[in-house]
Amino acid sequence: MTPPAAESESTPASELAPTARALRPVERLVGCYLALSVATLVAVFLLRDHADLVDDAVWTRTVIVVASAALTRAFTVGAARGSRRAFLRLRVVTAVMTVAVAVVVALPGLFPVWLRVEQSVCGLLLLGVVLVVNGRDVRALFRSR
């Protein structure tokens, strides 16, 4: 039996369900968001002895971001399979996280510059997701029937 992720990678877009086809860009953006978030947590671990680069706030922020990225990935998978609840959760989580990232980036001195740059990239990835999932065509796929 082929795992679902492997099937979607090998299945031509024309044979995918409309929701999966419409959310393919979202899956890519969220995959990048998750990968970057995990890589940042690894960097925080490796830099843990450098107090000027990593403090308790950095640890807390990166753990929260990895958890939210994992949830976002789960919601994306559910929405691609046609789940309206997962789609709603995806819309809410990405909007909230985009605002949270904007605050982190905008407030001076809250986090080191390197983390603010990383969060800026995460914010751009999430903004892309927000724009796609709130688009008229994608929302129409999840309207109640």
Side-chain angles (χ1 to χ4, degrees):
M1 179 175 195
T2 307
E7 279 180 14
S8 67
E9 290 301 318
S10 63
T11 305
S14 60
E15 294 179 25
L16 292 174
T19 54
R21 190 171 41 253
L23 292 176
R24 198 165 249 190
V26 171
E27 288 178 330
R28 289 184 181 115
L29 290 167
V30 169
C32 290
Y33 171 51
L34 179 58
L36 178 58
S37 300
V38 169
T40 302
L41 185 58
V42 170
V44 166
F45 176 77
L46 295 173
L47 297 170
R48 68 190 177 277
D49 295 328
H50 299 273
D52 56 324
L53 298 175
V54 175
D55 60 13
D56 290 342
V58 170
W59 274 104
T60 302
R61 177 70 190 163
T62 54
V63 169
I64 288 170
V65 171
V66 168
S68 81
L71 281 174
T72 303
R73 172 77 177 130
F75 298 152
T76 301
V77 169
R81 291 181 180 153
S83 168
R84 287 178 35 215
R85 292 182 105 172
F87 179 66
L88 177 60
R89 289 177 179 136
L90 177 63
R91 290 179 67 199
V92 170
V93 165
T94 55
V96 168
M97 286 305 296
T98 302
V99 171
V101 167
V103 169
V104 164
V105 171
L107 291 177
L110 188 59
F111 292 102
V113 172
W114 73 268
L115 186 65
R116 291 172 53 199
V117 169
E118 180 270 348
Q119 286 290 281
S120 297
V121 175
C122 286
L124 291 173
L125 293 167
L126 286 170
L127 181 60
V129 173
V130 168
L131 293 174
V132 172
V133 299
N134 288 293
R136 187 179 347 165
D137 295 339
V138 174
R139 283 183 299 133
L141 293 170
F142 291 94
R143 281 204 184 94
S144 42
R145 290 156 182 88

